[in-house]
Amino acid sequence: AYAMYKTLGANEVCQTNDPLIIAILQGNDEKVAQALKTKNPNYFNEATKYTPLSLACSLGSMPIVQQLLAAGAGTDYQDYDEYATPRNH
């Protein structure tokens, strides 16, 4: 499955087939939980230019933020701008 969306703060459309990122973009906490069973949440997604935690924070999705933190998502991983971390969102 692909998710097409307008990137946050940008005028470009990106595509991703990353199940965790798609679940976050959909705001679907059940799919997030499923994706976290096989995926480490500590990575930078090239399509979105965010880490999963930064993306969830940017979208204001607190239940998903809590899921990612419980799964071990780090708060010090950098985003596209090379200095922002989830703490900045």
Side-chain angles (χ1 to χ4, degrees):
Y2 276 98
M4 290 188 70
Y5 56 94
K6 193 169 187 173
T7 57
L8 303 171
N11 291 321
E12 59 185 87
V13 175
C14 293
Q15 293 182 6
T16 183
N17 61 358
D18 183 318
L20 180 57
I21 297 299
I22 292 170
I24 292 168
L25 289 168
Q26 293 173 341
N28 188 323
D29 57 343
E30 291 178 16
K31 286 185 180 179
V32 169
Q34 186 68 29
L36 286 171
K37 289 180 180 178
T38 59
K39 196 156 185 86
N40 182 328
N42 294 310
Y43 65 95
F44 176 81
N45 181 272
E46 287 292 331
T48 63
K49 308 297 185 211
Y50 285 91
T51 64
L53 182 59
S54 291
L55 181 60
C57 288
S58 294
L59 295 172
S61 181
M62 287 310 298
I64 292 176
V65 167
Q66 292 169 338
Q67 279 182 287
L68 292 167
L69 289 171
T75 58
D76 294 324
Y77 287 85
Q78 295 179 336
D79 285 343
Y80 63 96
D81 54 17
E82 299 179 7
Y83 68 89
T85 67
R87 295 177 189 198
N88 301 106
H89 293 284

